[in-house]
């Protein structure tokens, strides 16, 4: 962090374009790597997230070709919206429906913001034709490995935005595009994110009208293999998408307990363990 602050000060003091751009890119590198750091205190993560996201977003506008930073920004906004806004709306729903609605609306805006950052970076790499190809269900060339993470967050934030916009048929109609984008990333790296990408596809497959439950189960099985006990989100995703929808409470609770047993202080695992405990505590209301 000290090095990051020093770089920021230097970048603000330099007026020459080339040296300043080099420093800006150095700061962008630092910010992109900070997004992967572990943090054991969720309260601190929440309090620092707004500054980190705003600063990263500002740097991304100056370095729009920085894929790692674009991925970090998209992932950061998506995780912030999911963990600190949408989840809070769920917990408040039974006690304060009005505040819960306001939080869901805010979460939707944050998901859309994440999606726009990710898609802008992807579109720039695909000559501006990616969205149109997704709309038209046109065949696309294989996704380069360095773009898989960006595509994952673009699809995840898109699907989350759609899930909070069910009142708008025009937005819901985009769900097949989000799934096609996730499929494109999965075809390139099916085990990406310790099973996170396969779990996302499993969730989308289980949720879509006419989706194949057999394929959703196969995708979650692949995700669990890739997770190897390191990704709590895969267990939570399967619990909610398959076990809960099937009314299988024993499987639901077993998966959530597996999520709680996942070690590590990554933000994703901490958030998912927190959600797993809340879902277990709410099981009587869910079944």
């Amino acid at each position: 962090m000290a090095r990051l602050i020093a770089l920021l000060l230097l970048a603000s003091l330099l007026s020459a374009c080339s040296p300043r751009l080099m420093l800006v890119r150095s700061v962008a590198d630092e910010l992109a790597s900070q997004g992967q750091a572990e943090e054991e205190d969720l309260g601190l993560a929440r309090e620092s997230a707004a500054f980190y996201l705003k600063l990263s977003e500002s740097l991304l506008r100056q370095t729009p070709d920085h894929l790692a930073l674009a991925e970090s920004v998209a992932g950061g906004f998506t995780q912030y919206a999911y963990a600190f806004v949408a989840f809070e709306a769920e917990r408040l729903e039974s006690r304060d429906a009005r505040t819960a609605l306001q939080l869901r609306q805010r979460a939707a805006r944050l998901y859309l913001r994440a999606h726009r950052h990710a898609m802008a970076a992807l579109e720039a790499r695909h000559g501006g034709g990616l969205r149109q190809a997704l709309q038209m269900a046109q065949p696309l060339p294989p996704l380069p490995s360095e773009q898989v993470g960006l595509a994952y967050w673009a699809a995840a934030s898109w699907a989350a935005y759609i899930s909070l916009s069910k009142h708008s048929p025009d937005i819901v109609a985009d769900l097949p595009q989000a799934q096609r984008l996730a499929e494109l990333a999965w075809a390139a790296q099916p085990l990406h994110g310790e099973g996170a990408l396969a779990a996302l596809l499993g969730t989308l497959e289980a949720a879509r009208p006419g989706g194949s439950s057999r394929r959703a189960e196969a995708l979650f099985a692949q995700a669990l293999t890739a997770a190897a006990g390191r990704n709590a989100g895969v267990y939570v995703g399967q619990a909610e998408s398959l076990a809960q929808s099937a009314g299988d409470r024993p499987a639901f609770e077993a998966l959530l307990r597996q999520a709680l047993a996942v070690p590590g202080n990554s933000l994703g695992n901490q958030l998912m363990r927190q959600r797993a405990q809340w879902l277990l505590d709410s099981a009587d209301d869910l079944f």
Side-chain angles (χ1 to χ4, degrees), residues 21-219:
L21 182 58
M22 289 175 62
L23 279 171
V24 166
R25 294 195 70 84
S26 294
V27 175
D29 291 341
E30 290 286 333
L31 285 171
S33 65
Q34 284 288 322
Q36 305 302 317
E38 291 198 356
E39 175 51 64
E40 63 182 20
D41 188 321
L42 272 182
L44 182 59
R46 178 173 188 160
E47 291 162 7
S48 61
F51 170 76
Y52 164 78
L53 287 172
K54 286 295 293 179
L55 178 60
S56 298
E57 190 177 46
S58 175
L59 266 291
L60 183 59
R61 291 193 183 100
Q62 299 179 59
T63 56
D65 61 334
H66 199 299
L67 284 186
L69 183 59
E71 181 180 339
S72 180
V73 168
F77 273 108
T78 303
Q79 289 182 306
Y80 184 90
Y82 179 83
F84 303 131
V85 187
F87 185 26
E88 185 65 18
E90 289 184 84
R91 291 192 287 194
L92 281 175
E93 184 66 47
S94 62
R95 293 182 283 114
D96 190 345
R98 181 176 179 181
T99 300
L101 174 60
Q102 292 172 341
L103 287 170
R104 285 196 300 272
Q105 290 171 337
R106 182 183 178 217
R109 292 193 297 270
L110 290 168
Y111 284 137
L112 183 58
R113 192 165 174 173
H115 174 66
R116 284 172 173 166
H117 281 305
M119 284 302 295
L122 286 170
E123 283 276 77
R125 293 299 175 107
H126 290 264
L130 178 61
R131 186 177 291 276
Q132 182 178 359
L134 291 172
Q135 289 173 342
M136 305 300 292
Q138 296 171 345
L140 286 160
L143 197 69
S145 60
E146 67 270 15
Q147 296 177 25
V148 170
L150 196 57
Y152 166 74
W153 287 116
S157 57
W158 202 354
Y161 171 64
I162 291 168
S163 73
L164 293 180
S165 307
K166 294 177 181 177
H167 60 282
S168 176
D170 290 343
I171 296 174
V172 174
D174 288 341
L175 186 59
Q177 296 179 52
Q179 182 161 359
R180 280 194 287 273
L181 182 57
E183 295 274 9
L184 186 65
W186 180 77
Q189 286 186 6
L191 305 184
H192 173 78
E194 295 183 333
L197 179 52
L200 171 63
L201 259 184
T203 299
L204 292 172
E205 186 65 30
R208 76 177 179 88
S212 167
S213 59
R214 181 174 295 180
R215 184 173 186 236
E217 289 169 2
L219 285 163

Side-chain angles (χ1 to χ4, degrees), residues 206 239-248 287:
E240 293 192 85
S241 298
L242 297 184
Q244 184 180 348
S245 62
D248 189 343
F287 289 89

